[in-house]
Amino acid sequence: MQEDWTAVNDIVVTVFGALVLAGALLTVVERDPYRKLISLGIMIGGAIPFIVDRGLLDVAIAVALIAPLSTLFILMVCRKGEQ
Amino acid sequence: MNPQDTALAACAVIAVYAAIRVALEPDTLRKLPFLNVLSFAVAGSIALILPHPLSLVAAAAYFVGTTLESNAIASTYAGGLDRRE
Amino acid sequence: MDISLLAFVHILVAAAVCWLNFIAIDLLFRLPASGGVVGATAIGKHIEAKGGALPGGIMMGNIVSSPDASAGTLLASCGVFIAGIPGGLLTALLVFIGNRICNDPGYAGTTGAISATFIVSAFTLIGFSPAEFIAGMVIAILTIQGISHRHSSRLLAYLWRARGG
């Protein structure tokens, strides 16, 4: 039981940590704002399993609902800037 | 390995593969299907990491949220506001 | 060794079952006919520009921009894995709410979730685990959206013509 738990933890930490790092690096590297937003989506996708892994499911629900809303507001700002 | 660990490993490997494909895709709109694969893998992982009724709601909320995000990005990039044709 | 090989075969069988379920329901609800939102049509046109077929591209765009039968199958597998058949029906409700948020009628996703609930429950009676269906659905969506957009959109367009347009 104990070893199973650590095995799951190892996979979660390795893979989703790699996702968070890759998403953050891509966000820095990309130039286009739309591509930056897609890379931010990768980063959020890597961060939420960490919250679930610690058992904070209510926080995970809140983050999963708030992150796309912030993206929507950033998109509105992008459209204002282009016109 | 029990089925849960096997499934979690498969989801994790596919998530990394999808992230690599998103990073390498040159066309902005064609990144979105790969991002969709990534969100499928992450939503499955959420339910597999912690089998609890609330994680079902968390997986659904994450999936709907990321779908809404892709929808908004695609529609705004394509020039129209988020409206039906 | 034997057990892991059996789990591998189980995941492949589950992937095939999930693939058939969500493709059949998406084609039944005419997803390749037209883009539900502007972004879905735009994704279809970009895929067509790279050598794909337009109906398949539009269906992939619809899968991206609204929770359809594939999302219903995945979340219903999660629901059966966590809470049995009531969990699967709860996810059908959640998928319906999500469809309404994404400005979609939502019949494809709800139907997919309900049918997947009963299919996954039936397979648990013969020794499958619902967790294998979660991995199988992720593999199934990988074959459509994640390997080669050109070939998968052509395959979807072929199936759409075989259904009769």
Side-chain angles (χ1 to χ4, degrees), chain A:
Chain A
M1 184 60 204
Q2 191 61 36
E3 290 184 0
D4 275 359
W5 179 243
T6 52
V8 170
N9 254 349
D10 275 350
I11 292 174
V12 169
V13 167
T14 313
V15 169
F16 295 108
L19 278 190
V20 172
L21 286 179
L25 279 179
L26 273 177
T27 312
V28 173
V29 168
E30 299 280 10
R31 293 290 174 198
D32 186 46
Y34 295 103
R35 299 168 75 95
K36 275 186 193 290
L37 284 176
I38 293 175
S39 309
L40 269 181
I42 300 179
M43 199 185 77
I44 297 292
I48 288 181
F50 282 103
I51 306 175
V52 175
D53 190 35
R54 301 301 185 268
L56 307 173
L57 287 169
D58 43 359
V59 182
I61 295 171
V63 171
L65 290 177
I66 290 171
L69 284 183
S70 61
T71 304
L72 285 186
F73 288 122
I74 296 174
L75 277 174
M76 286 182 198
V77 175
C78 284
R79 283 183 58 80
K80 275 261 167 66
E82 279 176 1
Q83 284 166 359

Side-chain angles (χ1 to χ4, degrees), chain B:
Chain B
M1 301 239 296
N2 53 355
Q4 187 179 344
D5 290 351
T6 316
L8 183 57
C11 285
V13 168
I14 291 174
V16 169
Y17 167 79
I20 292 172
R21 289 299 297 265
V22 172
L24 296 182
E25 176 64 48
D27 188 321
T28 303
L29 274 184
R30 272 157 49 87
K31 277 171 180 271
L32 289 173
F34 297 122
L35 188 67
N36 194 20
V37 176
L38 176 79
S39 60
F40 265 80
V42 171
S45 309
I46 288 175
L48 286 169
I49 288 171
L50 190 59
H52 182 276
L54 263 184
S55 61
L56 192 55
V57 182
Y62 173 71
F63 194 82
V64 171
T66 187
T67 308
L68 189 64
E69 188 179 337
S70 303
N71 191 343
I73 290 176
S75 297
T76 314
Y77 188 83
L81 200 57
D82 193 5
R83 62 163 191 267
R84 295 182 70 86
E85 271 186 337

Side-chain angles (χ1 to χ4, degrees), chain C residues 60-158:
Chain C
M60 290 161 69
N62 274 329
I63 293 177
V64 168
S65 50
S66 145
D68 69 319
S70 56
T73 310
L74 176 80
L75 292 174
S77 309
C78 295
V80 175
F81 171 64
I82 290 172
I85 287 182
L89 297 179
L90 172 67
T91 41
L93 178 67
L94 290 176
V95 168
F96 183 71
I97 295 172
N99 266 311
R100 283 308 164 105
I101 291 176
C102 289
N103 204 2
D104 193 63
Y107 304 120
T110 316
T111 315
I114 292 174
S115 74
T117 300
F118 290 109
I119 290 174
V120 174
S121 316
F123 269 93
T124 53
L125 297 180
I126 59 170
F128 282 73
S129 162
E132 288 156 355
F133 276 84
I134 299 176
M137 187 59 224
V138 174
I139 291 173
I141 201 69
L142 176 73
T143 61
I144 291 295
Q145 305 260 43
I147 305 281
S148 160
H149 290 164
R150 180 185 304 170
H151 294 101
S152 61
S153 66
R154 284 182 185 168
L155 172 67
L156 290 174
Y158 171 75

